[in-house]
């Protein structure tokens, strides 16, 4: 494992790298990825389970048995108890995962933007040193049109409405935004994702590979197939079905407590259904003899709100129910089994951690730091302040979180709410202005904003002009229903 410079101290080195003038992106990826011989590289399997709250997994202390296979994976590797996403929805979170950059630095903040070609992704770094790279995605915000397929040899659409979209386009009709959202929310994709992964693994097991798997079914609607639909609430006879989660007005903050309990039981059923498929993928790795040579990482992009703060779904707030996600890493011989780590980990830390575990040189053009020192009882090289951001659908929020405290600002203003996470982990009682924690939180925000500003000097900012979508991409997004004709986010009632 290579040592890493502290993230903030690395700025100077990154600046000098920039001055040496790597202009070609492939050279850049090679330089940053190193040139180690391909033979000894471990495989990397990265599983992202969309909309999975950490606190609904057995290994994170949940009382229901939602996740026997994920729990076993955690027992075989390391579990991060405090993993914080960069945002509360799919696209920017995955852009942060793939680049190691905070959302306002990678610049892909909303669905009328795409990840700029100048960003160097994890897949590009791994491809540059000889990895086969493949991704399977199953939700609309992961479409290659948003620029996040950079570096993948193959990036496959496992949504069931992909064929519907193509048929509609071929017929000359534009797909309505409501149609695609409804189809996405009703979609059940785990079997298709699993079949694709299984087939790909059988054909590509002999070369070091990076396999990214995006699993969608935990995302609303909450409609797990039998027996998972009745697994956690078999006696319920009420009206809640889990369908139309976003648009059904009877699913609201004042709904009967019994119905809400059933809704959450259905969410848990989706987790168990997904856990079953995760287990099959892990079994296949064993069958193919790949367990020892493969780093398996499992995480989520964000959680979901169940009215803890009066709202449902995600992409609305930055409370912990939407930004605290699981992170589990298994790599036999390198990551000690059963290790539980309390330190705060962040979405931006995953890329440098995986490079480090793979024995590849560290890179200085990312904001995160490697978490690997924790596996041997060491200390992290940099600050663990977690920044989460939400600049979408009219919301402009930025939070600064440490293990014991969190402050959420309306970006660009002094309006903020702070919480003592030790006394109030549910973030129900905002601290008063004269709280002794106030000064600490203001300092957290100052440090965090300076960090973002400093990195925006290092990583070439995407200008407003270049961040705008090319006309052909805009038209395609409109026809897919992702954005309205005005190109401003489509006014969705819920988020992909
Ligand atoms: Zn998501």
């Amino acid at each position: 494992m290579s040592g890493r410079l502290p993230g903030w101290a690395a700025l100077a080195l990154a600046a000098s790298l920039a001055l040496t003038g790597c202009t070609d992106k492939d050279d850049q990826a090679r330089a940053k990825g190193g040139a180690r011989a391909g033979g000894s590289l471990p495989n990397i399997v990265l599983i992202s389970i969309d909309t999975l709250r950490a606190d609904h997994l057995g290994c994170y202390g949940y009382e229901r048995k939602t996740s026997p296979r994920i729990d076993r994976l955690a027992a075989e590797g390391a579990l991060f108890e405090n993993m914080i996403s960069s945002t509360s929805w799919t696209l920017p979170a995955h852009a942060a995962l793939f680049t190691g950059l905070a959302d306002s630095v990678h610049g892909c903040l909303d669905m009328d933007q795409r990840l700029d070609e100048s960003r160097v992704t994890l897949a590009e770094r791994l491809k540059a040193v000889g990895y086969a790279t493949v991704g399977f995605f199953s939700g609309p915000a992961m479409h290659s049109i948003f620029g996040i397929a950079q570096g993948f040899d193959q990036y496959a659409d496992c949504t069931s409405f992909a064929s519907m979209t193509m048929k509609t386009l071929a017929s000359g009709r534009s797909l309505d935004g409501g149609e695609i959202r409804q189809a996405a929310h009703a979609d059940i994709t785990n079997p298709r994702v699993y079949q694709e992964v299984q087939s790909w693994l059988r054909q590509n097991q002999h070369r070091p590979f990076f396999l990214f798997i995006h699993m969608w079914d935990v995302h609303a609607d909450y409609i797990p197939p039998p027996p998972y639909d009745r697994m956690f609430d078999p006696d319920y006879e009420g009206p809640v079905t889990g369908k139309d989660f976003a648009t059904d007005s009877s699913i609201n903050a004042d709904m009967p407590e019994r119905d809400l309990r059933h809704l959450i039981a259905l969410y848990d059923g989706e987790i168990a259904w997904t856990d079953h498929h995760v287990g099959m993928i892990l079994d296949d790795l064993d069958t193919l003899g790949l367990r020892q040579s493969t780093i398996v990482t499992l995480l989520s992009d964000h959680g979901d709100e169940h009215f803890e703060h009066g709202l449902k779904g995600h992409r609305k707030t930055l409370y912990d129910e939407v930004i605290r996600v699981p992170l589990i890493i298994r790599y036999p011989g390198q990551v000690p089994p059963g290790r539980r780590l309390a330190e705060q980990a962040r979405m931006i830390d995953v890329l440098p951690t995986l490079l480090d575990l793979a024995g590849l040189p560290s890179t200085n053009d990312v904001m995160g730091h490697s978490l690997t020192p924790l596996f041997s009882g060491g200390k992290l090289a940099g600050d663990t302040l977690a920044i989460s951001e939400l600049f979408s659908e009219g919301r402009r929020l930025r939070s600064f979180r440490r293990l014991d405290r969190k402050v959420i600002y309306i970006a660009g203003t002094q309006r903020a709410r702070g919480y003592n996470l030790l006394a109030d982990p549910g973030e129900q009682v905002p601290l008063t202005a004269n709280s002794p924690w106030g000064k600490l939180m203001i300092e957290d925000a100052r440090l965090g904003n300076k960090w973002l500003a400093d990195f925006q000097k290092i990583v070439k900012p995407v200008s407003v002009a270049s961040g705008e979508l090319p006309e052909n991409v805009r038209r395609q997004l409109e026809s897919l229903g992702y954005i309205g004709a005005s190109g401003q986010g489509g006014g969705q009632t819920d988020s992909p």
Side-chain angles (χ1 to χ4, degrees):
M1 294 176 199
S2 55
R4 272 196 43 77
L5 291 168
W8 300 19
L11 287 170
L13 214 160
S16 70
L17 274 180
L19 288 174
T20 61
C22 294
T23 49
D24 177 75
K25 197 180 176 192
D26 289 340
D27 288 347
Q28 219 176 321
R30 259 189 294 279
K32 286 160 186 168
R36 186 169 140 169
S40 59
L41 293 169
N43 306 308
I44 298 175
V45 175
L46 175 56
I47 302 173
S48 171
I49 301 178
D50 209 294
T51 322
L52 177 58
R53 294 169 58 135
D55 61 359
H56 279 245
L57 294 175
C59 51
Y60 280 85
Y62 197 44
E63 63 272 16
R64 284 184 174 146
K65 293 190 188 313
T66 51
S67 53
R69 295 307 308 267
I70 295 172
D71 298 349
R72 196 193 307 172
L73 182 73
E76 295 164 347
L79 177 150
F80 289 84
E81 293 174 338
N82 294 285
M83 162 70 167
I84 304 301
S85 184
S86 67
T87 185
S88 57
W89 68 288
T90 310
L91 177 59
H94 283 92
L97 172 66
F98 288 165
T99 62
L101 299 171
D103 292 6
S104 59
V105 178
H106 64 59
C108 187
L109 292 159
D110 211 344
M111 284 178 95
D112 58 350
Q113 296 167 333
R114 68 199 302 271
L115 189 64
D116 194 76
E117 290 295 326
S118 65
R119 304 295 180 244
V120 186
T121 64
L122 177 60
E124 286 175 310
R125 293 172 198 274
L126 296 173
K127 181 182 170 74
V129 294
Y131 276 81
T133 54
V134 62
F136 297 98
F137 76 96
S138 49
M142 295 300 291
H143 198 284
S144 61
I145 206 165
F146 298 112
I148 52 176
Q150 294 176 44
F152 286 109
D153 301 326
Q154 181 189 342
Y155 190 73
D157 188 342
C158 296
T159 64
S160 62
F161 54 87
S163 58
M164 174 179 123
T165 305
M166 296 320 292
K167 276 183 206 155
T168 309
L169 288 175
S171 73
R173 183 172 79 84
S174 287
L175 205 61
D176 171 70
E179 284 176 287
I180 197 153
R181 279 194 296 281
Q182 193 175 24
H185 290 178
D187 209 358
I188 294 174
T189 63
N190 284 340
R192 191 176 306 105
V193 170
Y194 171 67
Q195 281 164 14
E196 294 278 350
V197 167
Q198 183 189 47
S199 165
W200 190 91
L201 273 174
R202 283 179 180 163
Q203 294 167 36
N204 294 276
Q205 59 179 289
H206 302 297
R207 181 177 159 197
F209 60 79
F210 170 45
L211 167 58
F212 170 68
I213 307 167
H214 171 246
M215 304 181 79
W216 172 256
D217 290 358
V218 176
H219 190 291
D221 295 342
Y222 300 162
I223 45 171
Y228 301 94
D229 56 343
R230 303 190 68 79
M231 181 174 270
F232 298 114
D233 192 9
D235 302 326
Y236 180 75
E237 292 178 349
V240 168
T241 64
K243 288 181 187 162
D244 303 324
F245 175 84
T247 53
D248 183 347
S249 59
S250 72
I251 301 177
N252 62 54
D254 298 320
M255 68 192 292
E257 196 274 339
R258 181 69 188 88
D259 291 343
L260 176 58
R261 264 196 289 140
H262 187 64
L263 188 73
I264 293 171
L266 291 168
Y267 175 75
D268 292 339
E270 292 278 27
I271 296 173
W273 155 250
T274 301
D275 180 82
H276 170 71
H277 289 83
V278 169
M280 290 200 293
I281 293 168
L282 296 175
D283 287 345
D284 283 353
L285 291 175
D286 286 352
T287 303
L288 295 168
L290 298 173
R291 173 186 279 244
Q292 296 297 320
S293 58
T294 302
I295 303 166
V296 176
T297 298
L298 184 142
L299 49 73
S300 176
D301 52 352
H302 55 81
D304 231 8
E305 296 188 55
H306 299 145
F307 305 111
E308 293 85 350
H309 293 88
L311 298 169
K312 63 180 174 180
H314 51 272
R315 199 179 176 184
K316 293 166 181 168
T317 74
L318 291 174
Y319 292 114
D320 269 16
E321 50 266 29
V322 280
I323 64 168
R324 185 166 167 262
V325 294
L327 174 63
I328 295 165
I329 302 176
R330 183 186 81 182
Y331 185 18
Q334 298 289 321
V335 176
R339 186 67 57 93
R340 297 181 71 88
L341 298 156
E343 284 83 352
Q344 192 157 263
R346 306 160 299 180
M347 195 62 88
I348 56 173
D349 296 330
V350 175
L351 181 153
T353 302
L354 290 176
L355 292 182
D356 202 2
L357 278 175
L360 296 166
S362 59
T363 180
N364 298 308
D365 58 345
V366 302
M367 295 176 74
H369 50 224
S370 172
L371 300 168
T372 57
L374 297 175
F375 300 145
S376 52
K379 295 264 182 249
L380 293 173
D383 195 329
T384 60
L385 179 66
I387 301 175
S388 303
E389 301 176 88
L390 180 60
F391 289 83
S392 177
E393 300 190 318
R395 292 179 173 88
R396 299 176 54 80
L397 301 175
R398 183 174 285 149
S399 67
F400 305 90
R401 189 189 193 279
R402 296 193 184 276
L403 280 179
D404 59 356
R405 61 184 185 263
K406 177 168 153 192
V407 60
I408 307 171
Y409 276 86
I410 297 176
T413 76
Q414 298 300 311
R415 294 173 59 197
R417 284 189 171 191
Y419 297 93
N420 175 343
L421 297 179
L422 299 179
D424 177 25
E427 300 162 279
Q428 295 295 322
V429 186
L431 297 169
T432 55
N434 58 1
S435 158
W437 291 71
K439 275 188 183 168
L440 293 173
M441 291 180 172
I442 290 169
E443 179 61 8
D444 289 343
R446 190 192 68 77
L447 279 171
N449 283 324
K450 181 175 186 310
W451 188 26
L452 292 173
D454 286 347
F455 240 90
Q456 281 163 341
K457 292 176 196 158
I458 304 303
V459 179
K460 190 185 82 177
V462 182
S463 71
V464 173
S466 65
E468 287 173 358
L469 294 170
E471 189 52 33
N472 61 332
V473 175
R474 177 179 299 282
R475 273 204 304 274
Q476 197 176 349
L477 282 174
E478 282 173 10
S479 67
L480 290 169
Y482 283 118
I483 57 176
S486 65
Q488 296 300 316
Q492 298 174 31
T493 54
D494 189 36
S495 51

